[in-house]
Amino acid sequence: MIPYGRQDITQDDIDTVVDVLRSDYLTQGPKVPEFEKSIQDYCGVAHALAVNSATSALHVACLALNLGPGDEVWTSPITFVASANCARHCGANVEFVDIDPRTYNLSTEALEDKLKDRKNSGGTLPSIVIPVHFGGQSCDMVAIRALSDEFGFRIIEDASHAIGGRYRDKTIGSCRYSDITVFSFHPVKIVTTAEGGVATTENAALAQKMALLRNNGVTRDPALMTRPADGQWYYEQLVLGYNYRMTDIQAALGCSQMQRLDEKVSIRHQIANRYDAELAALPLVLPFREDFSYSAFHLYVVLLEEALASNRRAVFESLRERGIGVNVHYIPVHTQPYFRRLGFQTGDYPYAEDYYARALSIPLFPTLTREQQDEVIAALTSALS
Ligand SMILES: *Cc1c(COP(=O)(O)O)cnc(C)c1O
């Protein structure tokens, strides 16, 4: 089976990890700061905090922005559940904003309408909006930032799909238009640490809060302590935190992977360009590309034309039978049983639901060979004829 996504591990990656296994530190050694520095330099951002997953990064990001009970977080229904769960972990409520049917990103028009409705009716405005850069293509951050200035919410970019991508003249992760940006390093993503995540920010106070929260609220920094140290062993717990630390084994893999980030994204573009050309005649909607975005191309999603929507399952199964590991990203989060129990219903976000009925993610990863691409193209062509 050709999977829809797969890690790309080189001998250099393996050697770097083995070196850590032979070193003094498996965790809390030099590799985590080195990995953080590589992300800072790449993104052109002041702070990068490595944690054990993007899910954890989203959680500490929300906590650092003081999210709590009574607050609302708004995000896209077409995302992985973690983008919404971070709010629930802080006791806050989730609301969704329907997607733009061209890009599958949260629609800035729908966001503006919903904000105005809430304001006019005296309802709750969001404390945080979490735009998700779906498939690696940036949301329209200038527009979202303008709304944040008008309506007073904070912004966390869920860039789990988007490291190596750009928005206008900025690298994703620069936080030019947001408070915090979060990356995932799960193996199917652009760069991997097996499990891992990073939160970037320009704000030193937010970085300091997130650093405490990932380490059980504990600090060894005398500048932060409430009283003089009893001795060199001394540390203080200042807040209630978690163990969300990344290991040096993971960070070493990340450092090595970061060196080939641009190359990985450029290969993803070459494959996407080939799909664009070879699939153009099929009854499919191919990925739309915004002028302002250079996508990281985490996903290549095709939509069956509307008339074929009822065949999606058959097309999916026929492709799987031919060894093409297609997948569906994502089941709209508001239709998950957990969110239904909170009151969401089918019909709440029609563009997201229409998208879900017709979407297929086809294989796209840097080591996908030309012959495998041929197989994908041939299988899709025959499944749709
Ligand atoms: C993968 C993913 C996450 C969660 O990432 P983990 O590192 O697995 O916790 C969050 N949001 C989106 C959009 C993702 O794709």
Side-chain angles (χ1 to χ4, degrees):
M1 184 78 72
I2 305 172
Y4 83 86
R6 189 181 198 287
Q7 69 274 19
D8 165 20
I9 302 291
T10 62
Q11 190 60 45
D12 277 349
D13 294 343
I14 294 168
D15 293 344
T16 315
V17 170
V18 169
D19 286 346
V20 174
L21 289 171
R22 295 205 166 96
S23 78
D24 291 335
Y25 296 98
L26 300 186
T27 192
Q28 295 177 282
K31 285 295 172 186
V32 169
E34 190 182 318
F35 180 51
E36 292 173 335
K37 178 78 168 46
S38 78
I39 305 260
Q40 274 164 32
D41 291 348
Y42 186 88
C43 297
V45 69
H47 307 277
L49 276 291
V51 289
N52 58 0
S53 69
T55 303
S56 302
L58 287 162
H59 186 197
V60 294
C62 286
L63 288 171
L65 293 170
N66 298 319
L67 188 74
D71 293 334
E72 277 193 14
V73 170
W74 293 8
T75 190
S76 170
I78 296 298
T79 184
F80 186 55
V81 294
S83 315
N85 286 342
C86 53
R88 302 295 300 151
H89 285 302
C90 299
N93 293 325
V94 178
E95 273 289 326
F96 299 95
V97 176
D98 210 348
I99 60 168
D100 176 332
R102 287 175 321 158
T103 62
Y104 322 135
N105 275 330
L106 169 152
S107 154
T108 34
E109 289 77 32
L111 175 61
E112 184 170 4
D113 289 348
K114 191 170 175 127
L115 288 162
K116 287 183 171 158
D117 281 356
R118 283 288 178 93
K119 191 165 189 178
N120 293 337
S121 65
T124 308
L125 287 169
S127 304
I128 301 174
V129 171
I130 306 184
V132 181
H133 302 317
F134 181 82
Q137 172 155 262
S138 181
C139 297
D140 188 354
M141 295 309 298
V142 167
I144 295 171
R145 181 55 187 257
L147 292 170
S148 105
D149 291 339
E150 187 180 346
F151 292 90
F153 55 82
R154 312 295 290 268
I155 302 172
I156 301 172
E157 294 173 71
D158 184 344
S160 292
H161 300 180
I163 197 164
R166 291 195 291 275
Y167 172 70
R168 299 187 187 273
D169 60 341
K170 294 289 176 194
T171 306
I172 302 282
S174 73
C175 296
R176 167 69 180 76
Y177 303 99
S178 63
D179 296 286
I180 297 169
T181 301
V182 166
F183 295 122
S184 170
F185 303 112
H186 180 278
V188 296
K189 308 282 164 76
I190 310 286
V191 159
T192 191
T193 60
E195 295 281 3
V198 155
T200 64
T201 183
E202 285 286 278
N203 181 317
L206 290 177
Q208 195 180 83
K209 276 189 179 176
M210 292 192 287
L212 275 178
L213 287 163
R214 77 170 162 187
N215 194 31
N216 287 297
V218 164
T219 185
R220 290 178 183 277
D221 179 354
L224 298 181
M225 289 183 187
T226 60
R227 61 185 183 88
D230 295 341
Q232 281 180 24
W233 63 85
Y234 190 70
Y235 56 83
E236 283 187 354
Q237 183 195 342
L238 301 175
V239 296
L240 183 61
Y242 303 84
N243 178 357
Y244 281 168
R245 292 188 303 266
M246 178 180 276
T247 67
D248 272 45
I249 302 169
Q250 294 166 307
L253 179 55
C255 290
S256 179
Q257 289 254 310
M258 279 300 286
Q259 292 178 19
R260 286 176 299 116
L261 172 53
D262 285 339
E263 184 192 327
K264 287 172 193 284
V265 172
S266 126
I267 298 170
R268 286 175 178 273
H269 271 263
Q270 286 165 27
I271 300 171
N273 290 343
R274 183 156 186 241
Y275 282 158
D276 281 356
E278 303 275 351
L279 304 176
L282 298 181
L284 295 172
V285 182
L286 302 180
F288 175 85
R289 302 196 195 183
E290 294 272 24
D291 289 339
F292 57 57
S293 168
Y294 173 76
S295 178
F297 262 114
H298 165 54
L299 296 175
Y300 192 95
V301 174
V302 299
L303 253 60
L304 300 188
E305 282 185 355
E306 254 164 65
L308 298 174
S310 59
N311 298 351
R312 198 270 305 272
R313 186 167 173 166
V315 172
F316 179 98
E317 285 168 2
S318 128
L319 289 165
R320 282 278 177 104
E321 272 162 30
R322 288 164 202 265
I324 312 298
V326 283
N327 219 317
V328 175
H329 298 96
Y330 292 90
I331 303 163
V333 177
H334 69 283
T335 67
Q336 293 291 351
Y338 171 76
F339 285 94
R340 285 182 192 274
R341 285 203 300 278
L342 297 173
F344 294 99
Q345 295 172 1
T346 303
D348 285 349
Y349 303 98
Y351 284 116
E353 292 166 26
D354 174 64
Y355 161 86
Y356 169 60
R358 302 194 280 139
L360 285 173
S361 304
I362 66 174
L364 177 59
F365 50 90
T367 57
L368 188 72
T369 64
R370 200 170 166 92
E371 292 68 38
Q372 289 175 319
Q373 295 162 34
D374 292 339
E375 276 183 59
V376 173
I377 293 160
L380 255 175
T381 308
S382 109
L384 289 169
S385 62

